[in-house]
Amino acid sequence: MDSTKTQAPQKRTHALRTGAEFKASLDDGRRVWVDGKLLRKVTDNPGLAAGIDLLSEMFDDQFDPATRTI
């Protein structure tokens, strides 16, 4: 993947972001270095994946009737 290219944002049908949309938003051509190495995708890095997954689950909780307050 060429990190200089960015993908066109996909049109969303709702105002809130899903976990999948959050993860996709991280694949926007940003350059992230960890321990002196350039990451191809931040979501594939084991040191970042757990935190990204947790945040993704929190985004998805917005759509779960069991966790919504409104």
Side-chain angles (χ1 to χ4, degrees), residues 57-70:
E57 290 170 12
M58 294 170 81
F59 277 103
D60 286 337
D61 284 345
Q62 302 172 102
F63 298 97
D64 183 351
T67 57
R68 284 197 326 221
T69 59
I70 299 176

Side-chain angles (χ1 to χ4, degrees), residues 4 6-7 16 18-19 26 35 41-43 47 53 62-63 67:
T4 60
T6 58
Q7 296 176 347
L16 300 175
T18 66
L26 298 175
D35 293 328
K41 290 179 70 175
V42 295
T43 54
D53 288 342
Q62 302 172 102
F63 298 97
T67 57

Side-chain angles (χ1 to χ4, degrees), residues 4-5 16 21-22 32-33 40 44 54 58 63 67:
T4 60
K5 293 182 182 178
L16 300 175
E21 289 169 334
F22 165 68
V32 178
W33 294 78
R40 234 174 67 82
D44 290 344
L54 177 63
M58 294 170 81
F63 298 97
T67 57

Side-chain angles (χ1 to χ4, degrees), residues 2 4 6-8 14 17-18 21 23 25 27 29-33 37 39 45-46 52 55 58 60-61 63:
D2 183 359
T4 60
T6 58
Q7 296 176 347
H14 47 81
R17 184 179 283 186
T18 66
E21 289 169 334
K23 285 183 176 183
S25 76
D27 190 20
R30 68 186 71 209
R31 297 180 61 131
V32 178
W33 294 78
K37 295 180 183 178
L39 303 181
N45 179 273
I52 291 170
L55 288 170
M58 294 170 81
D60 286 337
D61 284 345
F63 298 97

